[in-house]
Amino acid sequence: MKYTEKEESLIEFIKKLMPDGVAVAFSGGVDSTLILKAAKDILDNEKNFSDEKFYNERSDIKKDLKLVAFTLNTILNPKNDLKIAKSICDDFGVKQVVINVNEITNPKILSNDKMRCYYCKNDLFSRIFEEKSKYSLKYVIDGSNFDDKDNYRPGSIAAKELGVISPLEECGFTKNEVREFAKKLEISVANRASAPCMLTRYPYDTKVDFLQFDKIEELEGKIKSLGIYNVRVRVHGDIARVEVDKDKLAFLAEKINNLIPDFERAGFKYTTIDARGFRSGSMDE
């Protein structure tokens, strides 16, 4: 397979980390899946990593645990994420460690202020660092890409403070470039839409109904089943503000009346469609 110069740079970047063992913060999204796939291919294809002599000289490293995917099963992430992540690890033949986390026990996260992502990521990545030490893995890497630098992401600050490495960001991969490389590697989730934390559906400094998460995820799923790719149901008290891509606004307007009973059962008195369309991170505007 022929790689572009940028794709080669990503492979070389990850390859340099592999001898000391890598823990991938793995969500099952396209970004972290690309990282996991690249790391697994390096292990499978590099002679040094299949040479018994290499491991005999490095007794601190176990051959079958040079690469481990750590998936966080959290209260705040969509439920379907875990199922998808497990399936991908099985397909790749990569060991997966699932860490169960209840973020809402942290009062700083419960406060839902503008630094909620910082507190949350600090907790989550700290758990990965704690767990990865049991497997003699030196590095923790994640799927943050170059586009993330332009967004409000206090969670990235927490990750960097802890020492998390972001190969996609370091090598300048945009989201579109991530998807293109993932397609080249025939990754099943190459076109999967982003699935951010459920708190992104709520304005900062407002009370969050954690029991409502499943209902919101179900509503978004029903809208996606209509053939709409990007969907967010934003919560403003008893008002649901639905975001979809601009070219789907008219289509959704024709279908939304059929979904009103579902929104009402989820606790919304009013359902609106945002005429500005889908915007990742719109609650940060």
Side-chain angles (χ1 to χ4, degrees):
M1 183 181 295
K2 187 175 181 179
Y3 298 120
T4 66
E5 184 176 341
K6 183 174 283 189
E7 290 165 356
E8 288 280 6
S9 72
L10 178 66
I11 293 170
E12 288 301 316
F13 187 99
I14 297 173
K15 189 183 295 184
K16 290 177 182 178
L17 305 177
M18 296 305 296
D20 293 308
V22 168
V24 177
F26 182 62
S27 67
V30 60
D31 301 296
S32 61
T33 302
L34 176 59
I35 292 296
L36 190 66
K37 173 64 172 172
K40 182 60 167 61
D41 285 351
I42 289 167
L43 281 182
D44 290 344
N45 298 329
E46 283 299 307
K47 182 179 178 181
N48 284 344
F49 296 132
S50 59
D51 187 348
E52 292 296 338
K53 184 174 180 291
F54 174 84
Y55 294 96
N56 291 336
E57 291 174 352
R58 293 294 304 275
S59 59
D60 59 315
I61 298 176
K62 297 179 180 179
K63 180 178 178 181
D64 59 337
L65 292 179
K66 289 292 297 298
L67 173 67
V68 180
F70 289 85
T71 301
L72 295 153
N73 182 27
T74 78
I75 302 295
L76 300 181
N77 283 352
K79 292 281 192 301
N80 199 40
D81 283 8
L82 181 60
K83 181 180 178 182
I84 293 171
K86 284 184 174 180
S87 176
I88 292 170
C89 288
D90 288 342
D91 288 344
F92 288 177
V94 173
K95 178 177 177 60
Q96 182 187 38
V97 174
V98 177
I99 304 173
N100 295 311
V101 183
N102 184 353
E103 305 98 313
I104 64 176
T105 59
N106 186 332
K108 289 184 177 179
I109 298 173
L110 275 176
S111 68
N112 191 30
D113 66 17
K114 291 181 180 179
M115 290 299 288
R116 68 191 181 198
C117 190
Y118 176 89
Y119 306 134
C120 186
K121 291 296 185 183
N122 185 73
D123 273 5
L124 298 181
F125 279 113
S126 292
R127 291 289 300 274
I128 292 178
F129 273 93
E130 180 183 336
E131 289 294 318
K132 68 96 175 172
S133 64
K134 302 175 184 177
Y135 298 89
S136 301
L137 304 167
K138 182 174 181 179
Y139 301 107
V140 174
I141 64 178
D142 75 348
S144 297
N145 64 62
F146 195 75
D147 286 343
D148 294 334
K149 293 169 68 71
D150 296 329
N151 298 323
Y152 176 67
R153 292 182 180 269
S156 296
I157 298 172
K160 294 295 185 291
E161 288 177 352
L162 289 168
V164 176
I165 299 171
S166 303
L168 294 172
E169 181 183 311
E170 295 288 342
C171 296
F173 270 75
T174 65
K175 190 73 173 186
N176 285 338
E177 289 170 330
V178 168
R179 292 195 187 281
E180 287 304 311
F181 194 12
K183 290 175 186 175
K184 182 183 289 189
L185 296 179
E186 298 182 341
I187 290 173
S188 62
V189 293
N191 291 317
R192 186 187 175 200
S194 299
C197 161
M198 296 302 293
L199 284 181
T200 60
R201 278 62 166 183
Y202 294 80
Y204 294 115
D205 301 313
T206 61
K207 186 177 180 180
V208 175
D209 181 0
F210 296 98
L211 298 177
Q212 197 175 34
F213 285 177
D214 287 348
K215 298 173 184 177
I216 294 171
E217 191 173 352
E218 183 180 346
L219 288 170
E220 291 181 349
K222 287 187 175 183
I223 296 172
K224 287 179 180 178
S225 71
L226 299 174
I228 296 177
Y229 184 72
N230 283 312
V231 179
R232 294 289 185 274
V233 174
R234 311 288 189 185
V235 181
H236 301 269
D238 57 6
I239 301 172
R241 175 171 60 86
V242 183
E243 295 179 13
V244 297
D245 291 324
K246 285 188 176 181
D247 62 349
K248 296 294 184 180
L249 288 173
F251 175 74
L252 180 60
E254 293 176 358
K255 303 291 185 180
I256 196 69
N257 279 341
N258 296 329
L259 296 173
I260 293 300
D262 297 303
F263 279 88
E264 290 176 342
R265 281 192 292 271
F268 296 109
K269 290 183 179 179
Y270 310 100
T271 302
T272 67
I273 301 174
D274 192 328
R276 293 169 295 177
F278 170 80
R279 297 166 330 280
S280 181
S282 69
M283 287 300 197
D284 296 325
E285 293 171 350

